[in-house]
Amino acid sequence: RARRIRAEVIGMGAELFVLKSLANTTGGRYSVAMNEIYLSEMLQMNLTPPPTAKASVKPSLIPMGFPTLKVLKEPKPSYNDGKLIREGYECPRCNAFLSEVPAECVLCELSLVTSPHLARSYHHLFPIPLFSEVPTESVGGRTCAGCFTAFAGAVDLALRCVRCGEFFCFECDAFIHESLHNCPGCENLGIDVSSVVRMDST
């Protein structure tokens, strides 16, 4: 509690008092999985990081390096596991040769990541706002901006991005919010992902 650590416990068997007490004391939740579907739902609930209170945590910058992938003619031992490899990553600070990232450089202790790794956690900072529902009659013969399906007839409901104004079908809306975490319309228009400007739903 003194370190402000919250424990979220998912039990696989009978309820245990010590685990329930741990969760309650730290402000977390204790739940027991009754079946496979319930377990999956509880795991999904814990994937998104919880909001952090501004007063409890001071912001700090974390130095990170973006190593370059290099393919060598002759094998070279990697610093992190000692194996001979031809393809690896070079630390931008100390030029240490590593076999994989993300990792911490064993020489200079710099956190090394690639841009795709960073992008996977970026959507937690700026989640896509929920799209507004629009009746297909008011769309006027448009097509889904994701899959280009016509809204007339086949699609009963259109969803509009509140930032760029593009229309999407239900399937594309689910894919954007659950997997892609980027609105194609906003990306095409170059809209800042931290923008909260909302457009009319008409």
Side-chain angles (χ1 to χ4, degrees), residues 6 37 59 65 67-68 74 77 81 95 120 134 141 147 165 175 202:
R6 185 169 71 181
I37 297 174
T68 54
E74 298 294 331
D81 55 17
N95 297 328
R120 287 173 194 158
V134 180
C147 63
F175 177 70
T202 58

Side-chain angles (χ1 to χ4, degrees), residues 61-67 79-80 90-98 101-113:
L61 297 176
I62 301 174
M64 303 188 84
F66 297 91
Y79 280 83
N80 54 337
E90 189 175 76
C91 175
R93 180 187 285 174
C94 65
N95 297 328
F97 198 61
L98 306 172
V101 292
E104 186 177 275
C105 180
V106 295
L107 294 184
C108 64
E109 298 183 346
L110 179 67
S111 296
L112 302 175
V113 294

Side-chain angles (χ1 to χ4, degrees), residues 134-144 148-158 167 169:
V134 180
T136 52
E137 300 84 42
S138 62
V139 176
R142 292 178 180 243
T143 59
C144 172
F148 302 108
T149 301
F151 286 111
V155 181
D156 297 327
L157 182 68
F167 294 93
C169 65

Side-chain angles (χ1 to χ4, degrees), residues 1 5-9 16-30:
R1 185 187 293 177
I5 297 175
R6 185 169 71 181
E8 300 278 345
V9 182
L16 296 177
F17 175 77
V18 65
L19 295 179
K20 187 175 183 179
S21 177
L22 171 67
N24 292 336
T25 304
T26 59
R29 289 172 298 188
Y30 176 70

Side-chain angles (χ1 to χ4, degrees), residues 10 37-48 178:
I10 300 175
I37 297 174
Y38 190 44
L39 174 63
S40 177
E41 289 177 357
M42 288 187 292
L43 290 173
Q44 290 292 331
M45 286 170 49
N46 288 297
L47 287 180
T48 303
E178 295 173 9

Side-chain angles (χ1 to χ4, degrees), residues 4-201:
R4 299 182 183 274
I5 297 175
R6 185 169 71 181
E8 300 278 345
V9 182
I10 300 175
M12 301 293 289
E15 183 177 294
L16 296 177
F17 175 77
V18 65
L19 295 179
K20 187 175 183 179
S21 177
L22 171 67
N24 292 336
T25 304
T26 59
R29 289 172 298 188
Y30 176 70
S31 50
V32 178
M34 305 301 291
N35 52 45
E36 186 179 344
I37 297 174
Y38 190 44
L39 174 63
S40 177
E41 289 177 357
M42 288 187 292
L43 290 173
Q44 290 292 331
M45 286 170 49
N46 288 297
L47 287 180
T48 303
T52 303
K54 294 182 179 179
S56 62
V57 178
K58 294 181 180 179
S60 60
L61 297 176
I62 301 174
M64 303 188 84
F66 297 91
T68 54
L69 178 63
K70 290 199 170 183
V71 180
L72 307 175
K73 293 181 179 179
E74 298 294 331
K76 180 180 180 180
S78 64
Y79 280 83
N80 54 337
D81 55 17
K83 295 180 181 178
L84 291 173
I85 54 173
R86 281 196 171 90
E87 185 175 312
Y89 297 88
E90 189 175 76
C91 175
R93 180 187 285 174
C94 65
N95 297 328
F97 198 61
L98 306 172
S99 60
E100 60 182 14
V101 292
E104 186 177 275
C105 180
V106 295
L107 294 184
C108 64
E109 298 183 346
L110 179 67
S111 296
L112 302 175
V113 294
T114 60
S115 54
H117 292 128
L118 198 59
R120 287 173 194 158
S121 60
Y122 186 69
H123 67 267
H124 293 302
L125 302 177
F126 301 105
I128 301 175
L130 296 176
F131 293 170
S132 58
E133 297 182 2
V134 180
T136 52
E137 300 84 42
S138 62
V139 176
R142 292 178 180 243
T143 59
C144 172
C147 63
F148 302 108
T149 301
F151 286 111
V155 181
D156 297 327
L157 182 68
L159 297 112
R160 188 180 190 189
C161 177
V162 296
R163 292 190 297 206
C164 67
E166 289 287 355
F167 294 93
F168 297 91
C169 65
F170 179 78
E171 288 78 10
C172 287
D173 170 70
F175 177 70
I176 288 170
H177 284 91
E178 295 173 9
S179 301
L180 190 61
H181 303 295
N182 286 308
C183 172
C186 294
E187 293 292 323
N188 288 337
L189 296 175
I191 295 177
D192 183 7
V193 293
S194 61
S195 172
V196 292
V197 176
R198 294 177 176 268
M199 302 185 69
D200 294 331
S201 58

